[in-house]
Amino acid sequence: MVFTTIVNCVRARGPDEFWRKRRIFKLAAHYIGRRRNCYTVAIKIVHRALVYATKGRQLRKQDITELRNARIIAGCEQHGLNFNDLREGLLRCNIMLNRKTLADLAAWEPYSFKALTDIAKQKTKEDGFGSVKDLQAPVGVITRGMSK
Amino acid sequence: MSGLIRQFCNKLSSFTKCYSNVIARDNINIPSILSFHSRFYSNTPTLHEIVDPNKDKFITEEIIKNVNQQVSQGTQGRLFAVVHVAGKQFKVTEGDVLIIEGYWPPNVGDKISLDKVLLLGGSDFTLVGRPLIQNGLANVHATVIEKMLSHTKTHFRKKRRKQYKRINFYRIQQTMLRINKVEFVGQLNKPPDVSGLEYVIL
């Protein structure tokens, strides 16, 4: 039930029931079969769709967080570091990049990300936390005593 | 006694130095006199490395010089920056449009300089701030191009067979920000004599 003419909007014609149903039919316009033509079926489907849309906004945020974590972890593993050591190392160096930025760098700026993992590794070695034993000291990192 | 041990150790270290200037290994011959107290402490020399202090300095200066040279010649490539705006971090480059959500005072047409730069990267180098890079080293200029509300979002809750149904509608304030310029100004490793007075009105 798609309303292509503007005539329907000119005056409020017809009983209240018509306009109440029209609101639902407008949302059901792109469905197929009885669910777009038959009110009792349409309202059920439309309500369900609206609930999904509401819940989906929260799920989208969770999915994005998950994707970002996956990207950072993949980047870390490539350089032989684990996620927690990277976060801890960077925070101890006062580098306040958040997960979103780290994920962006891991995916699109691999050289910058490697530099960050090197910084974190160096700090891990110096402070002696995390999985230090398994770590190789990064090559070519010069701190000039300023990593404190 | 401990003084004696230290003396021995000093001698040992000079002894190993003669052999090589790389990391000393365990297999170096130790004079038999020194095995005298071996039950109480280890006679093996501590691993050590002879470090040339000027080597690091040389490499550092070389890198800084290269970066400065690239910037002065304009061969640094397209720069990107990570900026902190309205509580969120964005990786931006020239020509980007940012959407800042929620209440944010600047109005349409305002030209803004984004000063909280956490990271600046070119094709061959990256500057990482702790947490921000030195003030005045990077310019990120932006213009507010649009302020509007998002599309209407429907918040609909329903419980089946419980006569419970709620519907709300809301829209979020959005500000579009065009990044006009990301540039490197000034020289690396040359901080100003006085800092922290940039925003002070005397």
Side-chain angles (χ1 to χ4, degrees):
Chain A
M1 196 177 182
V2 182
F3 296 89
T4 49
T5 57
I6 203 155
V7 179
N8 282 316
C9 304
V10 173
R11 270 174 58 204
R13 290 189 297 180
D16 182 47
E17 185 194 6
F18 170 81
W19 296 100
R20 199 180 69 235
K21 286 183 178 177
R22 201 184 94 120
R23 278 212 314 260
I24 301 300
F25 279 131
K26 278 191 97 168
L27 292 173
H30 63 291
Y31 295 158
I32 292 170
R34 279 206 298 157
R35 49 179 64 182
R36 68 174 278 171
N37 296 322
C38 189
Y39 181 75
T40 40
V41 182
I43 191 161
K44 212 167 107 182
I45 307 296
V46 165
H47 277 177
R48 194 193 291 164
L50 288 173
V51 167
Y52 283 159
T54 304
K55 287 181 178 170
R57 278 198 291 274
Q58 204 55 44
L59 290 176
R60 185 174 166 274
K61 290 186 184 81
Q62 289 171 16
D63 288 349
I64 289 174
T65 312
E66 223 167 81
L67 174 69
R68 282 176 186 158
N69 279 344
R71 282 182 168 171
I72 300 173
I73 289 168
C76 287
E77 277 178 8
Q78 191 183 351
H79 302 299
L81 190 72
N82 70 40
F83 179 69
N84 292 334
D85 291 350
L86 177 80
R87 289 287 285 179
E88 185 69 23
L90 291 181
L91 288 180
R92 283 187 188 209
C93 287
N94 216 5
I95 296 171
M96 302 292 180
L97 298 174
N98 62 15
R99 283 173 197 236
K100 178 187 162 202
T101 309
L102 285 175
D104 277 355
L105 294 176
W108 309 113
E109 307 287 345
Y111 290 110
S112 302
F113 189 75
K114 180 172 184 299
L116 291 174
T117 56
D118 280 346
I119 293 169
K121 270 187 207 169
Q122 182 72 22
K123 193 66 183 169
T124 313
K125 277 284 180 192
E126 276 175 20
D127 284 13
F129 62 90
S131 52
V132 183
K133 283 171 202 159
D134 318 329
L135 276 182
Q136 291 272 320
V139 184
V141 175
I142 300 167
T143 58
R144 294 187 286 168
M146 292 198 294
S147 70
K148 291 285 172 296
Chain B
M1 192 43 145
S2 65
L4 195 68
I5 294 163
R6 202 170 297 136
Q7 274 181 9
F8 272 131
C9 288
N10 286 342
K11 274 182 191 167
L12 246 186
S13 63
S14 63
F15 173 75
T16 52
K17 265 181 201 171
C18 298
Y19 272 89
S20 67
N21 62 350
V22 292
I23 298 171
R25 303 280 173 202
D26 293 350
N27 58 6
I28 287 165
N29 285 332
I30 293 148
S32 57
I33 323 155
L34 293 181
S35 60
F36 170 59
H37 278 297
S38 57
R39 272 179 59 211
F40 306 107
Y41 59 87
S42 168
N43 277 330
T44 51
T46 321
L47 289 179
H48 68 282
E49 193 178 359
I50 314 291
V51 179
D52 180 9
N54 290 326
K55 192 181 150 201
D56 279 3
K57 206 180 163 196
F58 178 75
I59 295 173
T60 316
E61 279 170 3
E62 186 76 14
I63 291 169
I64 291 169
K65 203 183 87 187
N66 282 345
V67 173
N68 280 333
Q69 203 177 352
Q70 275 205 348
V71 172
S72 62
Q73 288 171 354
T75 52
Q76 78 276 41
R78 186 175 179 166
L79 292 171
F80 74 88
V82 174
V83 289
H84 192 277
V85 188
K88 282 182 182 161
Q89 294 176 11
F90 297 91
K91 176 173 165 287
V92 296
T93 184
E94 225 167 279
D96 280 2
V97 177
L98 300 186
I99 299 179
I100 292 158
E101 293 192 325
Y103 172 73
W104 201 56
N107 294 314
V108 176
D110 288 359
K111 290 193 188 308
I112 300 171
S113 165
L114 305 176
D115 285 344
K116 290 183 185 171
V117 182
L118 297 152
L119 193 123
L120 184 78
S123 57
D124 293 335
F125 64 87
T126 307
L127 308 184
V128 183
R130 304 173 52 192
L132 304 179
I133 69 169
Q134 179 197 314
N135 200 332
L137 206 58
N139 272 350
V140 182
H141 290 309
T143 315
V144 180
I145 52 175
E146 197 174 353
K147 276 187 91 109
M148 58 180 296
L149 295 170
S150 69
H151 71 274
T152 307
K153 295 181 178 179
T154 313
H155 187 90
F156 182 76
R157 284 166 297 170
K158 183 187 166 89
K159 283 179 188 168
R160 282 185 296 173
R161 303 182 297 276
K162 295 287 180 286
Q163 290 74 48
Y164 175 82
K165 196 169 74 178
R166 298 283 182 277
I167 190 160
N168 285 310
F169 303 95
Y170 65 95
R171 301 176 80 184
I172 301 168
Q173 295 178 359
Q174 288 179 337
T175 308
M176 314 288 174
L177 201 60
R178 167 83 69 183
I179 305 295
N180 299 121
K181 205 186 276 177
V182 179
E183 62 177 3
F184 197 123
V185 286
Q187 287 212 313
L188 202 57
N189 209 28
K190 277 192 184 161
D193 297 336
V194 181
S195 66
L197 292 177
E198 292 86 357
Y199 306 109
V200 177
I201 300 165
L202 295 170

